[in-house]
Amino acid sequence: MSVDLLQTPIEFLKGIGPKRGELLRKDAGVSTYYDMLTYYPFRHVDRSRFSPIAEINSENIYLQIRGKVVDFQLLGQGRASRLVVTVSDNSGSIDLIWFQGISWVKDKFSIGSEWVIFGKPTLFNGRYNISHPETETIAEFIAQPSDPLHPIYNSSEKMKLNGLATRALSKVTRTLISQIKGVIPETLSNNILNEFKFVGREDALINIHFPTDVETLEKARARLKFDELFFIQLRLLRYKNNREQTVRGNIFAYIGDYFNRFYKQFLPFELTNAQKRVIREIRIDMGSGKQMNRLLQGDVGSGKTLVALMCMLIALDNGFQACLMAPTEILANQHYATISKLLNGMDVKVDLLTGSTKKARRKEIHPMLQSGEMHIIIGTHALIEDTVKFKNLGLVVVDEQHRFGVAQRAKMWSKSEIPPHVLVMTATPIPRTLAMTVYGDLDVSIIDEMPPGRKAIKTYHFYESGREKVYNFMQQQIALGRQIYVVYPLIDESETLDLKNLTEGFEHLEQVFRSPQYSLSMVHGRMKADEKDAGMARFKNGETQILVATTVIEVGVDIPNASVMVIENSERFGLSQLHQLRGRVGRGGDQSHCILMTGFKLTADGRTRIETMVRTTDGFEISDVDLKLRGPGDLEGTKQSGVLDLKLADIVKDEQLLRIARNVAQKLLSDDPKLEKAENQRIIRYLEYLSSKKSDWAMIS
Ligand code: ADP
Ligand code: MG
């Protein structure tokens, strides 16, 4: 950003001063003129129109009304006191209510005086009222510059009480704009501006606050949204290009005995075409001389583990070691079990290293990793944080649950001089838009095909009233030799209430499914690791028919004979969690079933989640619904990633613009990789400004 004026601390602006400046910084994140300029209104109202009071019929929408004071009461005592001013227009009357700052406003409203009132109605006891509205006398209203569309800004209660309510903010912004007009730099090249007929950045920044009409406003918003998305993409792609050019990768040139022997003699089934394609993509990438950073997407049960294993064997063929990191111990244990079984008979040394690996065992494993005698190590994050040293680590596979952002990933391989190739596997498919942003610096491989012979899992929704039926069904299934998961929510492992729920549920089930005919085991996050393992093991080897568990079994657990998943209080789970849980069944040849138990009362979102689960088993579809329901900000991992600090753009609603932004960024970089051309100087300058700002992005730029 060329001009220091824009970086002027906000307290220097006329009408702000130190106290309000501090408040703006704290409550609105505004510290400079430029921050104020990009403190966008979230909507506009038409100031030329007054809403008739009688026609108010919805809550939480800003309205402007015009009316006379007809009543005035100071109610309650002390902290409970409130001021109620009743105003009326020709159509009806409404109460204006103040709970705070009463002494300040109470003398303004004499009976019969006329006001322009601006605020959000809420419904209380069947009647609309407006608390803490903004008010102006008719004279004040007329004296104001008349914006055809008046901007509405967010302001905290504290800001409102300190003269920084939305109307004041619009005044401040107007003053600001008059001072900085002419110095707001353009950030896009003429090429891009012309291609998309974007309005200039300065016009956009002014018009987004004070548009002359709706069309101008929309153009301003489109332009600024594009900037947000485009510069994110540009940063991600530059980061990626830069990494590819400067970071050498180990060249895995051979496919040797490990891979070939496994493929010919040990692979228990034919690979799906999708698995073959993905292995080929990864192999080419690892042989290219650049360091691989690849995201492997595939639905639950699509066979990602096998792909990971075969890629690790390629590493071995080229004289390197490989490791596989899982998000939980249970999952690490299981990967270890699966992989050692698959490799049984092959001359490959594999071991397990997690937080609960005993010290003595560690002492044996560490030197083997250091000498290179150990080929593959499987574990949790402890693996990377531990004092583990490898002889030559060539491939890191991360089986993750969207837990890492760009910055975290960068840290992972900073250990060795030539960093290992990195393959990140997502546990649940993520929507393309999110992949483009959160994982925008990675190459993507997708397994879009399930192993053959899988029967689609049948999903049902039952209320409490259907519990009897559910138990009958469970008994029938057990009689057929199947096993059953019963899962309870334990969102926060420290919630005693949830734990009580689980243990009570367990005791109840023990009453219904009595020994010796039936036996049950239980696992949850509060148990010691060995207790947990024991519970899992008894279920896994068929000693118990029912496993009562929390979401510790959410990811990855693979027990093909378990064909029924009962989820208690399923309305409390998120969609991706439900999908993950359901993915625990349907792994063998038997018809599998998922039963979603809920209370009778469901929120609209809760109902959508349950209906979505009943309707489809397609993970990509489910993740799309999830993204729409929750918005990107709430999805796991996106917060840490820092790439979604978007003020205007929404990666769901603005998907098309996001794609355009990515394409434009790609084209730009292939045409001018270092952004050296004169026409791109504005772009590079803005990029430099963005990287100079302190943010989670600091690592990237
Ligand atoms: P994901 O990790 O993608 O959820 P897994 O790797 O755990 O899936 O695989 C799920 C199950 O499918 C495992 O039991 C695995 O052995 C089996 N499997 C994997 N690939 C194939 C295949 N090509 N044909 C048949 N079964 C397969
Ligand atoms: Mg898996």
Side-chain angles (χ1 to χ4, degrees), residues 301 304-305 331 334-335 399 425 427 555-557 584 587:
K304 294 184 289 289
T305 315
L331 191 51
Q334 182 181 296
H335 275 317
D399 194 0
M425 308 197 286
V555 220
V557 171
R584 297 310 108 219
R587 303 186 149 242

Side-chain angles (χ1 to χ4, degrees), residues 159-175:
M159 284 165 67
K160 282 183 190 156
L161 288 172
N162 286 278
L164 289 172
T166 170
R167 188 158 296 183
L169 288 171
S170 87
K171 247 189 218 164
V172 165
T173 307
R174 192 181 284 283
T175 309

Side-chain angles (χ1 to χ4, degrees), residues 187-198:
T187 50
L188 295 178
S189 63
N190 288 337
N191 287 344
I192 299 175
L193 286 171
N194 293 336
E195 186 179 349
F196 295 95
K197 303 205 169 46
F198 284 130

Side-chain angles (χ1 to χ4, degrees), residues 354-371:
T354 68
S356 50
T357 305
K358 295 265 159 19
K359 224 181 180 164
R361 189 82 197 92
R362 264 166 215 275
K363 275 196 180 144
E364 290 164 16
I365 295 175
H366 284 179
M368 285 194 272
L369 285 169
Q370 200 150 10
S371 70

Side-chain angles (χ1 to χ4, degrees), residues 487-491 498-499 501 549-551 568-570 572-573:
V487 176
Y488 282 81
L490 199 64
I491 309 298
D498 279 337
L499 194 61
N501 233 340
T550 60
T551 45
E568 297 285 351
N569 298 116
S570 59
R572 285 180 54 188
F573 290 92

